[in-house]
CSV table of all heavy atoms in Angstrom, one decimal:
chain,number,residue,atom,x,y,z
A,1,LEU,N,95.6,101.4,118.4
A,1,LEU,CA,96.8,102.1,119.0
A,1,LEU,C,96.6,102.4,120.4
A,1,LEU,O,95.5,102.7,120.9
A,1,LEU,CB,97.0,103.3,118.2
A,1,LEU,CG,97.4,103.2,116.7
A,1,LEU,CD1,97.6,104.5,116.0
A,1,LEU,CD2,98.6,102.3,116.5
A,2,ASP,N,97.7,102.5,121.2
A,2,ASP,CA,97.6,102.9,122.6
A,2,ASP,C,97.5,104.4,122.6
A,2,ASP,O,97.8,105.1,121.6
A,2,ASP,CB,98.7,102.4,123.5
A,2,ASP,CG,100.1,102.9,123.0
A,2,ASP,OD1,100.2,104.1,122.7
A,2,ASP,OD2,101.0,102.0,123.0
A,3,GLU,N,97.2,105.0,123.8
A,3,GLU,CA,96.9,106.4,123.9
A,3,GLU,C,98.2,107.3,123.6
A,3,GLU,O,98.0,108.3,122.9
A,3,GLU,CB,96.4,106.8,125.3
A,3,GLU,CG,95.0,106.3,125.5
A,3,GLU,CD,94.0,106.8,124.4
A,3,GLU,OE1,94.0,108.1,124.1
A,3,GLU,OE2,93.3,106.0,123.8
A,4,GLU,N,99.3,106.8,124.0
A,4,GLU,CA,100.5,107.7,123.7
A,4,GLU,C,100.8,107.8,122.2
A,4,GLU,O,101.1,108.9,121.7
A,4,GLU,CB,101.8,107.1,124.4
A,4,GLU,CG,103.0,107.9,124.2
A,4,GLU,CD,104.3,107.3,124.7
A,4,GLU,OE1,104.3,106.2,125.3
A,4,GLU,OE2,105.4,107.9,124.4
A,5,VAL,N,100.6,106.7,121.5
A,5,VAL,CA,100.8,106.7,120.1
A,5,VAL,C,99.7,107.5,119.4
A,5,VAL,O,100.0,108.3,118.4
A,5,VAL,CB,100.8,105.3,119.5
A,5,VAL,CG1,100.9,105.3,118.0
A,5,VAL,CG2,102.0,104.4,120.1
A,6,LYS,N,98.5,107.4,119.9
A,6,LYS,CA,97.4,108.3,119.3
A,6,LYS,C,97.8,109.8,119.4
A,6,LYS,O,97.6,110.5,118.5
A,6,LYS,CB,96.1,108.0,120.0
A,6,LYS,CG,95.5,106.7,119.5
A,6,LYS,CD,94.1,106.5,120.2
A,6,LYS,CE,93.4,105.2,119.7
A,6,LYS,NZ,92.1,105.0,120.3
A,7,VAL,N,98.3,110.2,120.6
A,7,VAL,CA,98.6,111.6,120.8
A,7,VAL,C,99.7,112.0,119.8
A,7,VAL,O,99.7,113.1,119.2
A,7,VAL,CB,99.0,111.8,122.2
A,7,VAL,CG1,99.7,113.2,122.4
A,7,VAL,CG2,97.9,111.7,123.2
A,8,ARG,N,100.7,111.2,119.6
A,8,ARG,CA,101.8,111.5,118.7
A,8,ARG,C,101.3,111.6,117.3
A,8,ARG,O,101.7,112.5,116.5
A,8,ARG,CB,102.9,110.4,118.8
A,8,ARG,CG,103.6,110.4,120.2
A,8,ARG,CD,104.6,109.2,120.3
A,8,ARG,NE,105.8,109.5,119.4
A,8,ARG,CZ,106.8,110.2,119.8
A,8,ARG,NH1,106.9,110.8,121.0
A,8,ARG,NH2,107.8,110.3,119.0
A,9,VAL,N,100.4,110.7,116.9
A,9,VAL,CA,99.9,110.7,115.5
A,9,VAL,C,99.0,112.0,115.3
A,9,VAL,O,99.1,112.6,114.3
A,9,VAL,CB,99.0,109.4,115.3
A,9,VAL,CG1,98.2,109.6,114.0
A,9,VAL,CG2,100.0,108.2,115.1
A,10,LEU,N,98.2,112.3,116.3
A,10,LEU,CA,97.4,113.5,116.2
A,10,LEU,C,98.2,114.8,116.2
A,10,LEU,O,97.9,115.7,115.4
A,10,LEU,CB,96.4,113.6,117.4
A,10,LEU,CG,95.2,112.7,117.3
A,10,LEU,CD1,94.3,112.9,118.5
A,10,LEU,CD2,94.4,112.9,116.0
A,11,ARG,N,99.3,114.8,116.9
A,11,ARG,CA,100.2,116.0,116.9
A,11,ARG,C,100.7,116.2,115.4
A,11,ARG,O,100.7,117.2,114.9
A,11,ARG,CB,101.3,115.8,117.8
A,11,ARG,CG,102.3,117.0,117.8
A,11,ARG,CD,103.5,116.8,118.7
A,11,ARG,NE,103.2,116.7,120.1
A,11,ARG,CZ,103.3,115.6,120.8
A,11,ARG,NH1,103.8,114.5,120.2
A,11,ARG,NH2,103.0,115.6,122.1
A,12,LEU,N,101.2,115.1,114.9
A,12,LEU,CA,101.7,115.1,113.5
A,12,LEU,C,100.7,115.6,112.5
A,12,LEU,O,100.9,116.4,111.7
A,12,LEU,CB,102.3,113.7,113.1
A,12,LEU,CG,103.2,113.7,111.9
A,12,LEU,CD1,104.4,114.6,112.0
A,12,LEU,CD2,103.7,112.2,111.7
A,13,CYS,N,99.5,115.0,112.6
A,13,CYS,CA,98.4,115.3,111.7
A,13,CYS,C,98.0,116.8,111.8
A,13,CYS,O,97.7,117.5,110.9
A,13,CYS,CB,97.2,114.4,111.9
A,13,CYS,SG,96.0,114.5,110.6
A,14,ALA,N,97.8,117.2,113.1
A,14,ALA,CA,97.4,118.6,113.3
A,14,ALA,C,98.4,119.6,112.7
A,14,ALA,O,98.0,120.6,112.1
A,14,ALA,CB,97.3,118.8,114.8
A,15,LEU,N,99.7,119.3,112.9
A,15,LEU,CA,100.7,120.2,112.3
A,15,LEU,C,100.6,120.3,110.8
A,15,LEU,O,100.7,121.4,110.2
A,15,LEU,CB,102.1,119.8,112.7
A,15,LEU,CG,102.5,119.9,114.2
A,15,LEU,CD1,103.8,119.2,114.5
A,15,LEU,CD2,102.5,121.3,114.7
A,16,PHE,N,100.2,119.2,110.2
A,16,PHE,CA,100.1,119.2,108.7
A,16,PHE,C,98.9,119.8,108.2
A,16,PHE,O,98.9,120.6,107.3
A,16,PHE,CB,100.3,117.7,108.2
A,16,PHE,CG,101.7,117.4,108.1
A,16,PHE,CD1,102.3,116.5,109.0
A,16,PHE,CD2,102.5,117.9,107.1
A,16,PHE,CE1,103.7,116.2,108.9
A,16,PHE,CE2,103.9,117.6,106.9
A,16,PHE,CZ,104.4,116.7,107.9
A,17,VAL,N,97.7,119.4,108.8
A,17,VAL,CA,96.5,120.0,108.2
A,17,VAL,C,96.5,121.5,108.4
A,17,VAL,O,96.0,122.3,107.6
A,17,VAL,CB,95.2,119.3,108.8
A,17,VAL,CG1,95.0,119.6,110.3
A,17,VAL,CG2,94.0,119.7,108.0
A,18,ALA,N,97.0,122.0,109.6
A,18,ALA,CA,97.0,123.4,109.8
A,18,ALA,C,98.0,124.1,108.8
A,18,ALA,O,97.7,125.2,108.2
A,18,ALA,CB,97.5,123.7,111.2
A,19,GLY,N,99.1,123.4,108.6
A,19,GLY,CA,100.1,124.0,107.6
A,19,GLY,C,99.5,124.1,106.2
A,19,GLY,O,99.7,125.1,105.5
A,20,GLU,N,98.8,123.0,105.8
A,20,GLU,CA,98.3,123.0,104.5
A,20,GLU,C,97.2,124.1,104.3
A,20,GLU,O,97.1,124.7,103.3
A,20,GLU,CB,97.6,121.6,104.1
A,20,GLU,CG,98.6,120.5,104.1
A,20,GLU,CD,99.6,120.5,102.9
A,20,GLU,OE1,99.5,121.4,102.1
A,20,GLU,OE2,100.4,119.6,102.8
A,21,GLU,N,96.4,124.3,105.4
A,21,GLU,CA,95.4,125.4,105.4
A,21,GLU,C,96.1,126.8,105.2
A,21,GLU,O,95.7,127.6,104.5
A,21,GLU,CB,94.6,125.4,106.6
A,21,GLU,CG,93.5,126.5,106.7
A,21,GLU,CD,92.7,126.4,107.9
A,21,GLU,OE1,92.5,125.3,108.5
A,21,GLU,OE2,92.1,127.4,108.3
A,22,ALA,N,97.2,127.0,106.0
A,22,ALA,CA,97.9,128.2,106.0
A,22,ALA,C,98.5,128.5,104.6
A,22,ALA,O,98.3,129.6,104.1
A,22,ALA,CB,99.0,128.2,107.0
A,23,VAL,N,99.1,127.5,104.0
A,23,VAL,CA,99.7,127.8,102.7
A,23,VAL,C,98.7,128.0,101.6
A,23,VAL,O,98.9,128.7,100.6
A,23,VAL,CB,100.7,126.7,102.3
A,23,VAL,CG1,101.9,126.7,103.2
A,23,VAL,CG2,100.1,125.3,102.2
A,24,THR,N,97.5,127.3,101.7
A,24,THR,CA,96.4,127.6,100.8
A,24,THR,C,95.9,129.0,100.9
A,24,THR,O,95.7,129.7,99.8
A,24,THR,CB,95.2,126.7,101.2
A,24,THR,OG1,95.6,125.3,101.1
A,24,THR,CG2,94.0,126.9,100.2
């Protein structure tokens, strides 16, 4: 993946893993 796509994927993943931790 190019860098712009990597950033977008990481943003999406970060929002989810943090959210899952919060609800846990």
